[in-house]
Amino acid sequence: MKARVLIRPKAGILDPQGIAVERALPALGFTGVSQVHIGRLVELEVEDSSQLEPICRTLLANPLIEDYEIQEP
Amino acid sequence: MRFGVVQFPGTCDDRDAVLACERVDGAEAVLLWHGERSLDGIDAVVVPGGFSYGDYLRVGAIARFSPMMESVIAFASAGGSVLGICNGFQVLCEAGLLPGALLPNVGLRFVCRQVAVEVVNADTRFTRACAPGQVLSIPVKHTTGRYYAPEVELESMQAHGQIVLRYAPDGNPNGSSNDIAGVMNAGQNVMGLMPHPEHAVDELTGSVDGLTLFASMALGAPARA
């Protein structure tokens, strides 16, 4: 089955990429945008979906600095 | 004594690390390919800088699972000395041998310059050839060098002398917590740092201060013919 994993910087950890994008937007005429955060999207197919959680914890995310969210269709 | 320098696909500072190790009196160095497992005859391990596995996914994340790293983890668990430089520091954090993690530089830019690094703890097997408070001139070159650990972890590290090197005041190149440039594990046998001591071993390139770290590691190690 197909699955998606969204990986984000943990709340409270400075995300300079998000800040850089947020600061670029007003110059392009987009105002009122805040809380921009940049993470990663991993798409994968697994035969056994119970493996997703350990896959995320072990490799896809570093739980010290990142949160992950598994999306199964 | 014999240093082993780990070589992953994408490592680029392995040759300089070997050169630095061999500039220490009585020391020799060999390369350790990531797909091998043997640490026979190795007295200390250096995990050098570069872009192991292309920095894919997250810096150090994939290198951490290589066969050689399994041996390095066992070596460290048995008390062996392991020094991680730049990407090697990132790998050791990912491997759980060091606390914390390295995040993208606050400025989002690659920084490449000589920095002043203060020896906060000179009573370690990595810095014992330094004077307490000595300031070393060593280059940094990285994009992902902002040291992060949770506040409670930082306090514990501070209390236990695990913060070994700091960037000199106003010289923090990446936004690291508490200006941290180098840390040790609680067992004090594993160290990681973002600056590159192996690039500061010859006056030709401006400084020989990096040699003190390799010389420290060799002090007290067995002599080899």
Side-chain angles (χ1 to χ4, degrees):
Chain A
M1 67 169 248
K2 289 188 176 184
R4 288 179 152 190
V5 179
L6 303 178
I7 300 153
R8 305 180 172 87
K10 257 191 193 313
I13 290 189
L14 184 68
D15 171 18
Q17 287 192 82
I19 292 171
V21 170
E22 191 172 313
R23 287 183 184 162
L25 289 170
L28 301 171
F30 300 105
T31 56
V33 182
S34 62
Q35 299 299 315
V36 179
H37 294 294
I38 296 181
R40 290 193 301 279
L41 164 65
V42 180
E43 292 181 322
L44 64 171
E45 284 198 39
V46 287
E47 289 175 4
D48 174 4
S49 65
S50 71
Q51 290 183 325
L52 282 169
E53 190 71 35
I55 285 173
C56 289
R57 271 200 316 274
T58 313
L59 180 61
L60 298 187
N62 179 342
L64 181 68
I65 50 175
E66 296 167 327
D67 289 325
Y68 58 88
E69 178 186 331
I70 298 168
Q71 297 181 335
E72 301 173 40
Chain B
M1 61 122 27
R2 186 179 292 137
F3 287 95
V5 176
V6 181
Q7 203 178 31
F8 302 105
T11 298
C12 61
D13 296 328
D14 41 335
R15 304 279 167 180
D16 274 22
V18 166
L19 175 82
C21 292
E22 292 190 331
R23 293 222 166 170
V24 177
D25 279 344
E28 59 182 37
V30 295
L31 290 169
L32 306 170
W33 182 240
H34 72 115
E36 305 286 331
R37 294 180 184 273
S38 173
L39 287 174
D40 289 348
I42 301 297
D43 302 303
V45 171
V46 176
V47 187
F51 305 85
S52 57
Y53 294 87
D55 278 352
Y56 293 161
L57 184 66
R58 191 174 62 249
V59 292
I62 298 177
R64 168 250 183 285
F65 293 102
S66 69
M68 183 52 75
M69 276 308 298
E70 287 177 25
S71 300
V72 171
I73 290 168
F75 180 80
S77 302
S81 297
V82 179
L83 178 69
I85 302 166
C86 195
N87 186 227
F89 185 9
Q90 297 160 346
V91 171
L92 296 181
C93 286
E94 282 284 335
L97 289 177
L98 289 171
L102 283 311
L103 293 165
N105 297 345
V106 159
L108 283 178
R109 287 174 188 272
F110 178 75
V111 291
C112 180
R113 63 171 186 256
Q114 204 76 10
V115 293
V117 178
E118 183 194 342
V119 179
V120 180
N121 185 352
D123 186 20
T124 82
R125 60 172 95 176
F126 305 96
T127 53
R128 54 191 160 187
C130 306
Q134 186 177 348
V135 176
L136 309 175
S137 176
I138 298 180
V140 290
K141 46 161 197 170
H142 60 247
T143 308
T144 309
R146 174 167 48 112
Y147 185 74
Y148 166 82
E151 197 58 41
V152 58
E153 180 81 47
L154 288 173
E155 285 170 17
S156 168
M157 291 167 68
Q158 175 76 35
H160 295 95
Q162 289 173 250
I163 296 168
V164 184
L165 303 172
R166 277 191 215 280
Y167 301 110
D170 302 319
N172 185 336
N174 50 38
S176 277
S177 301
N178 301 358
D179 296 334
I180 288 171
V183 304
M184 281 189 305
N185 63 338
Q188 308 215 343
N189 63 307
V190 181
M191 177 177 170
L193 75 167
M194 285 313 296
H196 285 266
E198 82 284 16
H199 296 333
V201 300
D202 197 306
E203 291 291 0
L204 186 66
T205 55
S207 168
V208 293
D209 292 353
L211 269 180
T212 55
L213 273 74
F214 300 96
S216 296
M217 291 174 75
L219 285 173
R224 285 182 188 274

